[in-house]
Coordinates of all heavy atoms in Angstrom, one line a residue:
D62 N 3.4 9.3 -20.3 CA 2.7 10.0 -19.3 C 1.9 11.2 -19.9 O 0.8 11.6 -19.3 CB 3.7 10.8 -18.3 CG 4.0 9.8 -17.1 OD1 3.5 8.7 -17.1 OD2 4.9 10.2 -16.3
G64 N -0.3 11.0 -22.1 CA -1.6 10.6 -22.4 C -2.6 10.4 -21.2 O -3.8 10.2 -21.4
F70 N -2.4 8.1 -6.5 CA -1.4 7.4 -5.7 C -2.1 6.8 -4.5 O -2.6 7.5 -3.6 CB -0.4 8.5 -5.2 CG 0.4 9.2 -6.3 CD1 0.1 10.2 -7.0 CD2 1.7 8.5 -6.6 CE1 0.8 10.8 -8.0 CE2 2.4 9.2 -7.7 CZ 2.0 10.2 -8.3
F82 N -9.5 -2.2 1.9 CA -10.2 -1.0 2.4 C -10.7 -0.1 1.4 O -11.6 0.8 1.7 CB -9.1 -0.3 3.2 CG -8.7 -1.2 4.5 CD1 -7.3 -1.4 4.6 CD2 -9.6 -1.6 5.4 CE1 -6.8 -2.2 5.7 CE2 -9.1 -2.5 6.4 CZ -7.7 -2.7 6.5
R124 N 3.7 -12.3 -0.2 CA 2.7 -11.2 -0.2 C 2.9 -10.3 -1.3 O 1.9 -9.9 -1.9 CB 2.8 -10.4 1.1 CG 2.3 -11.2 2.3 CD 2.0 -10.4 3.5 NE 0.9 -9.5 3.4 CZ 0.5 -8.7 4.4 NH1 1.1 -8.5 5.4 NH2 -0.7 -8.1 4.2
A130 N -0.6 -10.0 -8.2 CA -1.7 -10.8 -8.7 C -2.9 -10.1 -8.7 O -3.7 -10.1 -9.7 CB -1.8 -12.1 -8.0
D147 N 1.9 -18.6 -11.9 CA 3.2 -19.2 -11.7 C 4.5 -18.4 -12.2 O 5.5 -18.7 -11.8 CB 3.3 -20.6 -12.4 CG 2.4 -21.5 -11.8 OD1 2.1 -21.4 -10.6 OD2 1.9 -22.4 -12.5
S187 N 11.7 -3.8 14.3 CA 13.1 -3.6 14.6 C 13.5 -3.5 15.9 O 12.6 -3.2 16.9 CB 13.5 -2.3 13.8 OG 13.4 -2.4 12.3
G217 N 17.8 -5.2 1.5 CA 19.2 -4.7 1.6 C 19.4 -3.6 0.6 O 20.6 -3.1 0.6
L218 N 18.5 -3.1 -0.2 CA 18.8 -2.2 -1.2 C 19.0 -0.8 -0.7 O 19.7 0.0 -1.3 CB 17.7 -2.2 -2.3 CG 17.5 -3.3 -3.2 CD1 16.3 -3.1 -4.2 CD2 18.8 -3.4 -4.1
G245 N 1.1 21.1 -10.4 CA 0.7 22.4 -10.1 C -0.7 22.8 -10.3 O -1.1 24.0 -10.5
R265 N -11.8 9.5 13.9 CA -12.5 8.9 12.7 C -12.0 7.5 12.3 O -12.7 6.8 11.7 CB -12.3 9.8 11.6 CG -12.9 11.2 11.8 CD -12.8 12.0 10.5 NE -13.5 13.4 10.7 CZ -13.0 14.4 11.2 NH1 -11.8 14.4 11.7 NH2 -13.6 15.6 11.3
G272 N -6.9 2.1 20.2 CA -7.2 3.5 20.1 C -6.6 4.2 19.0 O -6.8 5.3 18.8
L299 N -8.6 10.6 2.5 CA -8.4 9.7 3.7 C -9.4 8.7 3.8 O -10.6 8.9 3.6 CB -8.3 10.7 4.9 CG -7.4 11.9 4.8 CD1 -7.7 12.8 6.1 CD2 -6.0 11.5 4.6
S301 N -10.9 5.1 6.1 CA -10.7 4.4 7.3 C -10.2 2.9 7.0 O -10.4 2.4 5.9 CB -12.2 4.2 8.0 OG -13.0 3.6 7.2
T302 N -9.6 2.3 8.1 CA -9.2 0.9 7.8 C -9.9 0.0 8.7 O -11.0 -0.5 8.4 CB -7.6 0.7 8.1 OG1 -7.3 1.3 9.4 CG2 -6.9 1.6 7.0
D308 N -22.1 0.2 11.9 CA -23.2 0.8 11.3 C -23.0 1.9 10.3 O -23.8 2.3 9.6 CB -24.0 1.4 12.5 CG -24.7 0.2 13.4 OD1 -24.8 -0.9 12.9 OD2 -24.8 0.6 14.6
K321 N -14.4 -7.1 -5.8 CA -13.5 -7.1 -4.7 C -13.1 -8.5 -4.3 O -11.9 -8.7 -4.0 CB -14.2 -6.3 -3.4 CG -13.2 -6.3 -2.2 CD -14.0 -5.6 -1.0 CE -13.0 -5.6 0.1 NZ -13.5 -4.8 1.3
A327 N -7.4 -13.4 -5.8 CA -6.2 -13.5 -6.5 C -5.0 -13.2 -5.6 O -3.9 -14.0 -5.7 CB -6.2 -12.6 -7.6
C350 N -6.1 -15.5 5.9 CA -6.5 -14.7 4.9 C -8.1 -14.8 4.9 O -8.8 -13.9 4.7 CB -6.2 -15.1 3.5 SG -4.3 -14.7 3.3
H352 N -10.0 -15.4 7.5 CA -10.4 -14.7 8.7 C -10.4 -13.2 8.4 O -11.4 -12.5 8.7 CB -9.5 -14.9 9.8 CG -9.7 -14.0 11.0 ND1 -10.7 -14.2 11.9 CD2 -9.0 -12.9 11.4 CE1 -10.7 -13.1 12.8 NE2 -9.7 -12.5 12.5

Side-chain angles (χ1 to χ4, degrees):
D62 270 2
F70 292 89
F82 302 122
R124 287 195 77 177
D147 291 330
S187 292
L218 285 178
R265 295 181 177 86
L299 305 175
S301 62
T302 55
D308 291 338
K321 179 177 181 177
C350 290
H352 168 77

